């Protein structure tokens, strides 16, 4: 059963109530009896911790993917001096006749 937070707009009283999903919202404040007791919107009461299923399940390969921003960017020296081209291959000896 979910826990709902309520607050009275008249006196400011706040309390959490354990209710079934199909229960009607509470209307009267338990502190002052006012009919201004309203349900608040709040964050969920659980946290997702750990690696999660998306890291361990449905993998395409055994190699883990690197995180964005962790790869080393090429330096300016590497960009300015590309690797030398390979020397042209010599023709086969039988092609000379």
């Amino acid at each position: 059963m979910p826990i709902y937070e309520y607050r009275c707009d008249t006196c400011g009283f706040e309390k959490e109530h354990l209710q079934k999903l199909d229960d009607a919202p509470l209307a009267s404040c338990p502190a002052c009896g006012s009919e201004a007791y309203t349900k608040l919107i709040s964050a969920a009461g659980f946290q997702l911790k750990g690696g999660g299923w998306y890291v361990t399940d449905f993998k395409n390969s055994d190699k883990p993917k690197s995180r964005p921003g962790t790869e080393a960017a090429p330096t300016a020296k590497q960009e300015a001096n590309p690797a030398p081209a390979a020397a042209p291959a010599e023709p086969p000896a039988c092609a000379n006749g």
Side-chain angles (χ1 to χ4, degrees), residues 1 12 20 22-23 26 39-40 57 70 72 82 86 89 91 94:
M1 286 196 302
K20 293 181 182 178
D22 57 349
D23 284 350
L26 301 176
K39 189 186 295 188
L40 302 175
D57 294 345
T70 58
C94 64

Side-chain angles (χ1 to χ4, degrees), residues 32-45:
C32 69
S34 170
E35 295 297 317
Y37 203 51
T38 57
K39 189 186 295 188
L40 302 175
I41 298 174
S42 60

Side-chain angles (χ1 to χ4, degrees), residues 51-58:
W53 64 269
Y54 53 88
V55 173
T56 58
D57 294 345
F58 307 113

